[in-house]
C-alpha cells in the first residue's frame, strides 16, 4: 500500500528541480521548531546571566546536540506517521506524506542525523551528555509507543523541554532550580494539550488514537490548571533569586506573563487556534507583543542585576 501511494510521487520527483528536493528534505528537520531549543540558553541566562556568559562553548555544544537530536526524532516520527499524516488537513502537506521526499531519502537523512548527534554527545560533559541521551531515549520511545497513551503523550513532550532547561543549567555549572523546571513542565503540558484540543476540534480523533480519551471541555480545564501552576512556579522561581532583583523581576514581568497566558487561552478557546504554538507565537500580533515585552522586561532586570 505504501509503495502504491509513493510510486507516483517518486515519478514526479524526477521532474522536480534539485533545489526544491533539498528544500523538501531539509523541511524534515523542522528548522522553524529549533526555537524549542531556547530553554538550553534561557534557563542559565535567567538563573545567573554572568555565569552563563562565561560558559558559551559548553552551552553552544549542548544546544547543537539538542537541535540534532530533536531533528532526528522529527524525521523518525514523520517516517512512522506518514500514512496517518495523509489524513490530516495540514500534515498531509509535509514532505513525506505529500511525496516530495521518498522514504529512502528520509531514512538516509535519519542515519546521518543520528550520527551527528552521537558525535556531539562525545564532546559534552558526561552529565550533560546523559541528559541529552535521556531526551533521545524518551522521544524515541514516544515515537514508537508513548504517543498513543493519553496524558502520557503530553507529559513526555513537556519532559523534553524540562530536559533542555536542565541540560543548559548543568552545562553552565549552575544549581538546579526546581520551581523553574516545574514552570517549564506545566507550561509545555498546557501547550501540548492546546495542540490536542485544536486537533480534536478540527479533525476529530481519527488522526491520533490518543485523542479518543479527550474531550474539549476536559482539555479546557486541564490547560487552565497547568497554566496557573506554571505561573505560580514562575513567580516562586523569580522570587527565589537574589534580593532585591528577584522581587523586582517578579513585579515587573508579572503583567506581561499573565497577558501572554490570557492571549493564548483566547486563541485556543475563542479563535480555535493552538495547532502549532510556534506559528501562533510568530504570527499573532498581541502574542508577539506580550511575549516580547515580557522578555524585554525580564532581560532589563537581569542586566541591571549583573551590573
Amino acid at each position: 500500500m505504501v509503495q502504491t501511494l509513493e510510486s507516483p510521487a517518486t515519478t514526479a520527483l524526477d521532474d522536480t528541480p534539485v533545489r526544491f528536493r533539498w528544500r523538501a528534505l531539509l523541511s524534515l528537520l523542522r528548522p522553524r521548531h529549533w526555537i524549542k531549543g531556547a530553554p538550553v540558553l534561557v534557563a542559565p541566562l535567567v538563573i545567573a546571566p554572568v555565569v552563563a556568559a562565561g560558559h558559551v562553548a559548553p552551552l553552544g555544544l549542548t544546544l547543537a546536540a539538542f537541535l540534532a537530536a530533536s531533528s532526528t526524532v522529527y524525521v523518525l516520527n514523520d517516517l512512522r506517521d506518514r500514512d496517518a499524516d495523509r489524513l490530516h488537513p495540514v500534515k498531509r502537506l509535509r514532505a513525506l506524506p505529500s511525496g516530495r521526499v521518498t522514504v529512502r531519502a528520509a531514512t538516509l537523512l535519519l542515519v546521518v542525523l543520528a550520527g551527528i548527534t552521537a558525535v556531539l554527545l562525545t564532546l559534552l560533559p558526561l552529565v550533560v551528555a546523559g541528559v541529552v541521551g535521556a531526551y533521545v531515549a524518551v522521544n524515541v520511545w514516544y515515537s514508537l509507543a508513548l504517543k498513543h497513551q493519553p496524558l502520557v503523550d503530553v507529559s513526555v513532550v513537556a519532559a523534553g523541554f524540562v530536559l533542555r532547561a536542565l541540560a543548559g543549567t548543568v552545562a553552565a555549572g549552575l544549581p538546579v532550580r526546581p520551581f523553574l523546571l516545574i514552570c517549564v513542565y506545566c507550561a509545555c503540558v498546557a501547550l501540548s494539550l492546546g495542540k490536542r484540543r485544536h486537533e480534536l476540534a478540527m479533525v476529530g480523533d481519527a488522526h491520533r488514537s490518543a485523542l479518543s480519551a479527550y474531550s474539549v471541555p476536559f482539555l479546557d480545564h486541564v490547560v487552565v490548571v497547568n497554566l496557573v501552576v506554571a505561573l505560580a512556579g514562575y513567580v516562586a522561581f523569580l522570587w527565589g533569586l537574589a534580593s532585591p532583583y528577584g522581587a523586582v523581576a517578579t513585579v515587573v514581568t508579572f503583567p506581561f506573563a499573565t497577558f501572554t497566558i490570557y492571549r493564548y487561552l483566547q486563541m485556543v478557546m475563542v479563535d480555535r487556534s493552538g495547532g502549532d504554538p510556534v506559528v501562533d507565537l510568530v504570527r499573532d500580533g498581541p502574542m508577539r507583543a506580550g511575549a516580547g515585552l515580557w522578555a524585554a522586561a525580564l532581560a532589563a532586570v537581569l542586566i541591571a542585576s549583573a551590573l
Side-chain angles (χ1 to χ4, degrees):
M1 179 178 176
V2 173
Q3 291 180 346
T4 303
L5 287 169
E6 289 188 350
S7 54
T10 303
T11 303
L13 282 173
D14 296 336
D15 299 325
T16 304
V18 174
R19 67 179 183 277
F20 292 121
R21 295 184 198 177
W22 277 106
R23 187 179 300 173
L25 192 63
L26 291 175
S27 71
L28 293 178
L29 277 62
R30 314 259 185 98
R32 73 179 183 183
H33 284 244
W34 286 347
I35 191 176
K36 294 178 180 178
V40 173
L41 304 179
V42 172
L45 283 172
V46 173
I47 294 172
V50 175
V51 176
H55 291 76
V56 174
L59 285 173
L61 280 174
T62 303
L63 177 60
F66 268 106
L67 295 182
S70 61
S71 290
T72 302
V73 173
Y74 287 142
V75 177
L76 174 64
N77 197 57
D78 282 357
L79 277 168
R80 288 185 56 82
D81 290 352
R82 62 186 185 277
D83 291 332
D85 286 347
R86 292 189 180 102
L87 304 176
H88 193 278
V90 176
K91 293 181 180 180
R92 66 184 178 84
L93 302 176
R94 288 178 176 175
L96 267 170
S98 68
R100 289 181 291 120
V101 171
T102 64
V103 172
R104 183 178 180 180
T107 302
L108 179 60
L109 178 61
L110 176 63
V111 173
V112 171
L113 287 170
I116 293 173
T117 303
V119 171
L120 288 171
L121 287 179
T122 64
L123 302 176
L124 292 171
L126 185 59
V127 177
V128 180
V131 176
V132 181
Y135 170 87
V136 174
V138 169
N139 277 275
V140 169
W141 191 10
Y142 171 85
S143 294
L144 297 178
L146 295 181
K147 66 189 301 179
H148 304 299
Q149 303 300 318
L151 297 180
V152 175
D153 57 344
V154 295
S155 298
V156 172
V157 172
F161 288 90
V162 172
L163 290 173
R164 289 179 175 98
L166 178 62
T169 302
V170 175
L174 294 168
V176 176
R177 298 281 185 162
F179 282 120
L180 177 60
L181 299 184
I182 290 172
C183 172
V184 171
Y185 176 80
C186 289
C188 292
V189 167
L191 293 175
S192 296
L193 289 171
K195 185 175 181 180
R196 300 295 186 270
R197 185 194 188 281
H198 176 79
E199 292 177 342
L200 186 61
M202 297 299 293
V203 299
D205 58 12
H207 170 68
R208 193 190 297 268
S209 59
L211 291 177
S212 61
Y214 297 135
S215 70
V216 170
F218 168 75
L219 291 174
D220 286 344
H221 289 304
V222 182
V223 167
V224 171
V225 168
N226 275 275
L227 288 177
V228 169
V229 176
L231 185 61
Y234 170 76
V235 170
F237 160 68
L238 284 186
W239 198 267
L241 295 179
S243 180
Y245 300 107
V248 172
T250 303
V251 174
V252 170
T253 64
F254 187 79
F256 303 118
T258 54
F259 173 84
T260 303
I261 290 174
Y262 297 157
R263 176 54 187 162
Y264 174 74
L265 290 173
Q266 184 182 42
M267 293 174 68
V268 170
M269 298 180 184
V270 180
D271 300 338
R272 295 189 177 184
S273 184
D276 190 333
V278 174
V279 173
D280 293 338
L281 177 61
V282 172
R283 294 183 178 178
D284 184 70
M287 179 68 79
R288 285 201 312 269
L293 290 171
W294 181 4
L298 183 59
V301 175
L302 292 175
I303 291 173
S305 70
L307 297 178

